[in-house]
Amino acid sequence: TTLGERPLPAAVFETLDGATVLRLQNSVANGTLEAMSSRLLAPADNFRWEVRFNTLTQAPGVAWDEPIGLYLADAVDASRWTAVALRSNPDGQGRVFRSDARPFDGFGETAFDFANDTWYRLRLEGGPGQRVRAVLLDDQGQELAARQFSFTTATFANGLRLGLYQASTTGGSLARTDVAIDWVKLDSTPTVPQPLELGALAEGQRN
């Protein structure tokens, strides 16, 4: 399986619970990944790639399938990737925490009855000396579900691309995906600290 992507066609700013959010509301064809572009990381970087989101309403005729997911992929070879997402059936039931790592550990999912209109966080994290993990957390940072993979970021010698997505995995029909994103953030540090190059600093003025 190769990770293909295209820009999200529908993303608008709205207000939810007093915060400005990015609402991603799309009709996604079966087998299609609607992804937002990502940045490149060196394989020696420790990283934490995380999104805070609200599930809104996942229900028949409203929204279903994979409303939100995170991925990391080889910077050169799109057949090498890892992803984590939440998913519900078209009837709004069968809610799961799911993950995949190709061609490494393969697909897996755990039943998790996530609530509508609730804030959660999804996270991918790892490093060259730390096996990559996929994690679902509540809004206070408590882990609700997790999977640890068998590999580290050193597996991706070409570097890593990071992104977020919505996807349709329901055969034979469009999926309606809907989610509100408060923030997406990347924390990364090189394993070996790099020296500060003073000559590269921009000139400035302190008042």
Side-chain angles (χ1 to χ4, degrees):
T1 303
T2 298
L3 183 68
E5 62 182 65
R6 58 179 178 171
L8 285 165
V12 296
F13 286 104
E14 297 183 355
T15 300
L16 179 65
D17 294 342
T20 299
V21 299
L22 185 66
R23 186 170 184 180
L24 307 182
Q25 190 175 39
N26 294 285
S27 295
V28 186
N30 180 47
T32 299
L33 180 78
E34 302 280 2
M36 301 189 79
S37 59
S38 59
R39 63 161 290 181
L40 183 67
L41 281 181
D45 283 351
N46 295 298
F47 78 95
R48 177 178 289 180
W49 177 228
E50 186 171 340
V51 57
R52 180 179 187 255
F53 63 96
N54 189 290
T55 51
L56 302 177
T57 300
Q58 308 296 311
V62 180
W64 63 94
D65 219 311
E66 293 188 0
I68 184 70
L70 297 177
Y71 72 84
L72 62 85
D74 189 288
V76 175
D77 184 353
S79 69
R80 305 173 77 245
W81 52 270
T82 302
V84 59
L86 293 184
R87 182 189 185 276
S88 66
N89 292 332
D91 62 3
Q93 304 303 308
R95 301 185 179 202
V96 296
F97 166 81
R98 55 170 32 182
S99 58
D100 206 347
R102 306 292 180 95
F104 313 107
D105 300 338
F107 175 80
E109 67 180 21
T110 302
F112 182 80
D113 191 21
F114 60 88
N116 285 340
D117 191 24
T118 301
W119 292 100
Y120 293 100
R121 304 179 191 184
L122 271 179
R123 178 191 297 166
L124 284 170
E125 61 185 5
Q130 173 191 343
R131 287 193 285 173
V132 174
R133 297 178 74 234
V135 189
L136 173 68
L137 308 99
D138 65 19
D139 204 30
Q140 287 68 50
Q142 182 71 34
E143 288 193 10
L144 303 172
R147 181 184 181 188
Q148 182 168 273
F149 300 103
S150 64
F151 52 90
T152 71
T153 57
T155 303
F156 299 90
N158 299 314
L160 294 168
R161 289 186 300 111
L162 303 176
L164 68 86
Y165 68 91
Q166 296 178 305
S168 170
T169 61
T170 305
S173 63
L174 293 173
R176 183 69 172 170
T177 56
D178 194 11
V179 74
I181 294 174
D182 182 27
W183 47 254
V184 185
K185 65 178 181 180
L186 171 65
D187 295 323
S188 65
T189 55
T191 303
V192 179
Q194 300 299 310
L196 176 64
E197 297 181 10
L198 295 178
L201 296 178
E203 293 184 1
Q205 181 177 351
R206 180 177 180 179
N207 297 321

